[in-house]
Amino acid sequence: MGLPEPAPVSGAGCSLAGTAPRMRLCDPLGDPSMFKIEALPAFTDNYIWLLQDDAARRCVAVDPGDAAPVLNWLSAHPGWQLSDILVTHHHHDHVGGVERLKAQTGARVYGPAAEKIPARDEALSDGQRIEVLGKRLQIIAVPGHTLGHIAYFHADPDQPWLLSGDTLFAAGCGRLFEGTPEQMFESLTRLASAPDHTLVYCTHEYTLSNLRFAQAVEPHNADIAARIGEVTQLREAGRFSLPSRLDIERKTNPFLRSEVEAVRQAASQHCGSPLATNVAVFAALRAWKDRF
């Protein structure tokens, strides 16, 4: 199963008419007419993604586990309104700031229907579509990390992007706290069906540690080695390693490479028995990573 078929659009008083602003990524400056996505660090390794429409001076917070980074940003940008909050799943480091932000800004809260999300205004299910800041977002159910986890996909033909929460990480995937390997494998397969140039906005800076595991699985993969060098330079310079891009994930993320013979052999060798299916390879990789 790939990405779901579109369902009717809903949103916080948004209209589908007109042309959305051109996208510019992770750039806190830029032309006032542009749409931007900025990372607000939280805790030790979380990112709260802040979607911004400079022309309307409105923004949207994604998975605000802590209200302070968002409130600090709003304080530094007078005249801006937090219009919406998007939640991917119920873990505290993704929802801990929701109630305070809603109380102080009146933002509308979206979250998965299958989970208990604080202060949620609209419960979302697979295949629904919403609109925030003039951007249509498709809801994709991605159980595995949690049973009700959802992702938000913007299918712009020029620059699609994905808010993947704790399902698809840069060079990794989330732990299976509630779901099964079969569920997570299917969820990742659905996300991986998006276009190659899709930008992936996950919510943790795990890239370098994930790549070290990827290299243990595929020590002769030149793309992984090159990516380790690039990410190491970024992190040493105090820069973020995100967003990622889906074509890069297909080359360097072992959890999207269960069908690759070298990955299958490594997983089989690690668990001490031949693995007959891609799901079995994925399950072995996830168990290996849990103890890596």
Side-chain angles (χ1 to χ4, degrees):
M1 182 188 299
L3 301 181
E5 290 297 318
V9 174
S10 61
C14 298
S15 169
L16 296 182
T19 302
R22 186 164 64 87
M23 186 172 191
R24 189 168 179 178
L25 298 159
C26 295
D27 182 356
L29 303 174
D31 187 292
S33 67
M34 292 181 180
F35 176 84
K36 301 181 293 189
I37 301 179
E38 182 178 350
L40 304 183
F43 308 119
T44 57
D45 53 38
N46 282 63
Y47 292 135
I48 300 167
W49 295 108
L50 195 69
L51 285 55
Q52 303 165 31
D53 180 346
D54 280 336
R57 299 176 74 80
R58 295 168 66 226
C59 58
V60 173
V62 181
D63 283 347
D66 183 3
V70 180
L71 293 174
N72 290 341
W73 189 95
L74 290 170
S75 178
H77 296 78
W80 279 74
Q81 176 193 359
L82 180 69
S83 58
D84 304 278
I85 296 170
L86 305 180
V87 174
T88 62
H89 65 291
H90 67 83
H91 285 165
H92 184 73
D93 63 323
H94 294 251
V95 302
V98 169
E99 289 180 303
R100 183 181 174 195
L101 286 173
K102 181 175 180 178
Q104 295 197 24
T105 68
R108 184 171 181 81
V109 178
Y110 296 84
E115 296 188 353
K116 186 177 180 180
I117 304 299
R120 182 182 58 204
D121 295 297
E122 185 157 352
L124 302 175
S125 300
D126 189 54
Q128 282 186 259
R129 297 178 75 180
I130 62 172
E131 184 173 320
V132 296
L133 304 183
K135 301 291 185 183
R136 297 186 187 188
L137 301 180
Q138 191 171 345
I139 309 307
I140 308 169
V142 284
H145 182 66
T146 66
L147 288 177
H149 199 304
I150 61 173
Y152 299 83
F153 178 62
H154 177 58
D156 186 293
D158 295 323
Q159 184 55 83
W161 43 271
L162 173 71
L163 304 170
S164 61
D166 283 0
T167 297
L168 175 60
F169 289 138
C173 74
R175 286 177 178 264
L176 305 183
F177 287 117
E178 298 176 12
T180 65
E182 290 80 6
Q183 287 176 312
M184 183 62 112
F185 180 82
E186 173 64 18
S187 294
L188 292 171
T189 299
R190 295 187 74 188
L191 297 184
S193 71
D196 279 352
H197 61 305
T198 299
L199 292 168
V200 179
Y201 292 86
C202 61
T203 48
H204 289 279
E205 183 59 71
Y206 292 162
T207 312
L208 200 53
S209 62
N210 285 342
L211 284 168
R212 293 190 183 107
F213 174 71
Q215 192 166 56
V217 176
E218 291 189 89
H220 304 298
N221 184 322
D223 293 314
I224 292 173
R227 192 177 184 190
I228 287 175
E230 293 167 1
V231 172
T232 298
Q233 288 185 338
L234 287 172
R235 299 304 293 152
E236 288 178 349
R239 297 172 61 191
F240 308 140
S241 69
L242 302 171
S244 181
R245 203 174 64 222
L246 200 51
D247 59 340
I248 297 172
E249 293 308 311
R250 292 195 184 100
K251 295 176 181 178
T252 61
N253 189 329
F255 298 105
L256 299 185
R257 295 172 59 79
S258 295
E259 80 287 354
V260 174
E261 185 58 29
V263 174
R264 182 184 300 271
Q265 289 181 3
S268 297
Q269 183 176 359
H270 182 78
C271 69
S273 61
L275 299 170
T277 68
N278 290 341
V279 172
V281 173
F282 171 81
L285 290 171
R286 186 60 261 179
W288 183 1
K289 178 65 165 63
D290 288 344
R291 298 185 293 272
F292 185 75

